[in-house]
Every structure is written in C-alpha cells, then in structure tokens.
C-alpha cells in the first residue's frame, strides 16, 4: 500500500508542470501584430518617384511627369 501511495505522489509531482502550461494563451502573438495602415496613393507615388529620382537624377520637369504617371 505504501508503494502505491509513493507512486501516486510521484505521478502528481510529474504532472504538475504539465498543468502549468495549459494556461498558456495562444492568441497573445496576434495581439502584438501591428495593423497595417491603409495604402495611400500619394505616398506611394512620392516614394517611387523619389527612388527613380535618386537612381536617374531626374530634372524637376521629369520628376513631376513621373509623379503624375504613378499617381
């Protein structure tokens, strides 16, 4: 009978850490995800035109024309 009591106590102690993990919330990572902002066409056109200006060294006239095309 003593042997059964010790086995039962041992099983309880081994299973106790498993129960602690059962309270882990799985929705926590979703709360940390940042919501993306709504795409803004003006910002996108500005960014793409700036990239082209940096690569191609555009004139002011070319810059405005490309900006209008992207817009």
């Amino acid at each position: 009978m003593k042997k059964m009591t010790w086995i039962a106590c041992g099983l309880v102690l081994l299973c106790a850490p498993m129960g602690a993990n059962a309270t882990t919330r799985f929705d926590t990572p979703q709360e940390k995800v940042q919501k993306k902002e709504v795409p803004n066409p003006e910002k996108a056109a500005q960014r793409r035109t700036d990239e082209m200006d940096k690569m191609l060294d555009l004139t002011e006239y070319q810059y405005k024309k490309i900006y209008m095309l992207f817009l």
Side-chain angles (χ1 to χ4, degrees), residues 26-34:
F26 293 104
D27 60 343
T28 304
Q30 293 174 355
E31 294 171 359
K32 293 180 181 179
V33 173
Q34 295 178 354

Side-chain angles (χ1 to χ4, degrees), residues 27-57:
D27 60 343
T28 304
Q30 293 174 355
E31 294 171 359
K32 293 180 181 179
V33 173
Q34 295 178 354
K35 294 183 179 180
K36 293 183 179 181
E37 61 184 52
V38 178
N40 186 347
E42 288 85 13
K43 286 183 180 180
Q46 179 79 33
R47 185 177 60 243
R48 292 178 73 187
T49 308
D50 287 341
E51 289 173 5
M52 287 190 72
D53 184 33
K54 190 183 293 184
M55 287 189 291
L56 302 173
D57 196 29

Side-chain angles (χ1 to χ4, degrees), residues 1 14 16 18 25 27 35 37 48-50 54-55 61 63-65 69-70:
M1 192 65 170
L14 288 174
M18 290 181 203
R25 291 179 47 189
D27 60 343
K35 294 183 179 180
E37 61 184 52
R48 292 178 73 187
T49 308
D50 287 341
K54 190 183 293 184
M55 287 189 291
Y61 177 74
Y63 184 89
K64 287 180 183 179
K65 289 289 246 182
L69 286 172
F70 281 136

